[in-house]
Amino acid sequence: MKKIFTLIVMLAATLGIQAQDTWTIAGVKALLGTNWDPTDTSNDMTANGNVFTLTKQNVMLKAGDYEFKVCKNHAWDESYGAGEGNAKITVEEDAAYTVTFTFTYDTANNSNSELKAEATKTGDYVKPDTGDQTWTVAGVAELCGAAWDPAATDNDMTSEDGENYKWTKTNVPLNTDTPYEFKVVADHDWAEAYGSESGNYQIFVTAPGLYTVEITFNSNSHVIGVTTTKTGDYVFGEKTWTICGVDELCGVAWDPTATENDMIKTAEGEYTLVKKNVALQTMKEYEFKVAANHAWSESYGMDGGSANAVFMLDDDQEDGYYDVTFIFLTESKGLSAYAEPSNPASVSTLKATNSSNAAIYNLQGQRVKAGFRGIAIQNGRKMLVK
């Protein structure tokens, strides 16, 4: 009996060890040796109860910010940074550092988990030997010719000192109010790529025309610079606006090239699309955006921003088939949608109710409540609410 009990205890201990989660720090290559790689076991943390630590010695850092996260079991399924973004450590001078990461995991409330890092200077900065890296501009087709292709050798940057790189392209048609996005990529692979702190680097111009675009990049600091010089005039045609979203709403999932979802110009600065007989459920959110010229180079969602817009049936609407009307206002970038029953014969009472009580939106595409005063949109029509 004693042997059986001992075996049970040993088995329980073994299962407990096997159930222990692994937490790994993943972030920028300069900080961790690999670029945002949750599978890198050399960055696994050591557990002490619910506190996990990792210490990296002799890390060569230049003055600036370095981002990172902690991920569970070598995957991105569960990861933590700072709030909804990445955690960040800042160093004030070029030097060698010992960097200690600490993660306190709150099993009762994951949102209270805390990730932090401290850097202690231990010596002088020595430039890491990275070999002869190739740096390439990868971005939207309007800027780079090939869309988001890190292997496009035509967009390789040049350098005279192995540290400062430059890429120049002439006669590039650029338009106002359009973000032209790109990143700088190492060795024709997305494993190491740099943009802005918020994601892709964006180029804007103040007047439409032909431009010479010069992009500079420092391979040590990873600082990007952009200069645009207008060299001639260029007349852009009117843009095509296309609704892209979940397949239940659009028939095809997030496809800006789907011409069946192109909008129709119904007034100056106003575009509309009606999708008929769409099966919709109550209490379900349907996400969508509007994209220009069948590409993601220029797109708008919630409040004219980058987040997806969200559509739901009204509280008094039931599961069923609906005609969904999308409205986009080009000046304010307001994007909205509303639904009416597809079969008036069977739901005439409901439709009549919906017609008079349909959701009302302001010119920014935001739904407004009772008591709103000003220019508004209801059932696809502009009206003055007094």
Side-chain angles (χ1 to χ4, degrees):
M1 178 66 69
K2 185 176 180 180
K3 290 183 177 179
I4 294 176
F5 176 76
T6 302
L7 287 172
I8 292 174
V9 172
M10 292 177 63
L11 179 60
T14 301
L15 290 174
I17 292 173
Q18 290 176 342
Q20 177 69 59
D21 292 320
T22 299
W23 292 96
T24 304
I25 298 294
V28 295
K29 186 176 181 179
L31 190 62
L32 293 154
T34 53
N35 197 57
W36 295 100
D37 183 4
T39 68
D40 187 349
T41 57
S42 67
N43 293 322
D44 287 352
M45 308 187 81
T46 301
N48 183 11
N50 68 328
V51 178
F52 300 80
T53 58
L54 170 68
T55 300
K56 303 286 287 185
Q57 305 279 358
N58 201 38
V59 183
M60 298 296 168
L61 299 178
K62 296 183 74 68
D65 299 329
Y66 298 86
E67 295 187 344
F68 61 95
K69 277 189 173 182
V70 62
C71 54
K72 181 178 177 180
N73 295 331
H74 297 139
W76 287 116
D77 297 340
E78 184 176 349
S79 62
Y80 301 92
E84 297 182 357
N86 299 327
K88 182 172 65 176
I89 185 172
T90 302
V91 296
E92 301 297 333
E93 60 178 310
D94 299 359
Y97 290 88
T98 292
V99 183
T100 301
F101 302 89
T102 305
F103 176 56
T104 304
Y105 186 50
D106 189 336
T107 55
N109 185 352
N110 295 354
S111 62
N112 289 334
S113 298
E114 182 183 18
L115 175 63
K116 60 183 180 179
E118 294 183 356
T120 303
K121 180 181 175 181
T122 57
D124 295 331
Y125 179 84
V126 178
K127 181 179 177 181
D129 183 10
T130 57
D132 295 327
Q133 285 186 297
T134 299
W135 295 98
T136 305
V137 176
V140 296
E142 296 92 328
L143 186 65
C144 299
W148 297 104
D149 184 3
T153 57
D154 289 345
N155 293 321
D156 287 351
M157 308 185 81
T158 60
S159 176
E160 295 182 356
D161 59 10
E163 179 179 347
N164 296 289
Y165 288 78
K166 184 170 67 173
W167 177 86
T168 303
K169 192 168 184 179
T170 60
N171 296 320
V172 183
L174 300 179
N175 205 352
T176 55
D177 300 324
T178 301
Y180 297 93
E181 298 188 341
F182 71 92
K183 282 188 174 180
V184 176
V185 182
D187 297 329
H188 298 141
D189 191 281
W190 285 116
E192 184 177 0
Y194 301 96
S196 67
E197 289 187 1
S198 58
N200 300 328
Y201 200 104
Q202 295 184 332
I203 297 175
F204 289 92
V205 295
T206 57
L210 292 175
Y211 283 81
T212 293
V213 180
E214 181 179 280
I215 297 173
T216 58
F217 177 71
N218 184 284
S219 60
N220 286 329
S221 64
H222 307 141
V223 171
I224 294 173
V226 174
T227 302
T228 55
T229 304
K230 185 176 179 180
T231 57
D233 295 328
Y234 189 89
V235 179
F236 288 87
E238 201 163 72
K239 294 177 182 178
T240 299
W241 296 101
T242 305
I243 294 295
C244 320
V246 295
D247 55 359
E248 300 100 316
L249 198 59
C250 298
V252 59
W254 298 102
D255 185 1
T257 67
T259 55
E260 65 270 25
N261 292 325
D262 287 351
M263 306 186 81
I264 297 172
K265 186 176 181 179
T266 49
E268 191 61 40
E270 178 182 285
Y271 288 77
T272 302
L273 170 68
V274 179
K275 298 287 289 186
K276 292 186 174 294
N277 297 313
V278 181
L280 299 176
Q281 298 176 350
T282 59
M283 302 302 293
K284 184 171 182 178
E285 294 183 345
Y286 299 91
E287 296 187 349
F288 65 100
K289 276 187 172 182
V290 63
N293 297 331
H294 296 141
W296 285 118
S297 307
E298 182 182 1
S299 63
Y300 304 98
M302 182 73 70
D303 299 332
S306 60
N308 297 333
V310 177
F311 165 76
M312 293 181 65
L313 289 175
D314 292 336
D315 294 340
D316 58 352
Q317 292 179 314
E318 302 176 351
D319 293 358
Y321 289 89
Y322 289 84
D323 294 342
V324 181
T325 300
F326 301 89
I327 301 171
F328 177 60
L329 306 177
T330 57
E331 183 175 351
S332 65
K333 305 301 186 290
L335 178 62
S336 59
Y338 69 91
E340 293 182 310
S342 295
N343 189 347
S346 60
V347 287
S348 57
T349 303
L350 176 62
K351 183 173 181 179
T353 302
N354 288 342
S355 179
S356 60
N357 295 317
I360 299 176
Y361 300 86
N362 61 23
L363 294 181
Q364 285 70 48
Q366 301 164 325
R367 187 168 176 172
V368 296
K369 297 181 180 179
F372 172 82
R373 298 292 181 268
I375 303 297
I377 298 174
Q378 185 181 43
N379 290 325
R381 299 180 180 87
K382 289 182 181 178
M383 60 183 182
L384 176 64
V385 181
K386 299 181 178 180

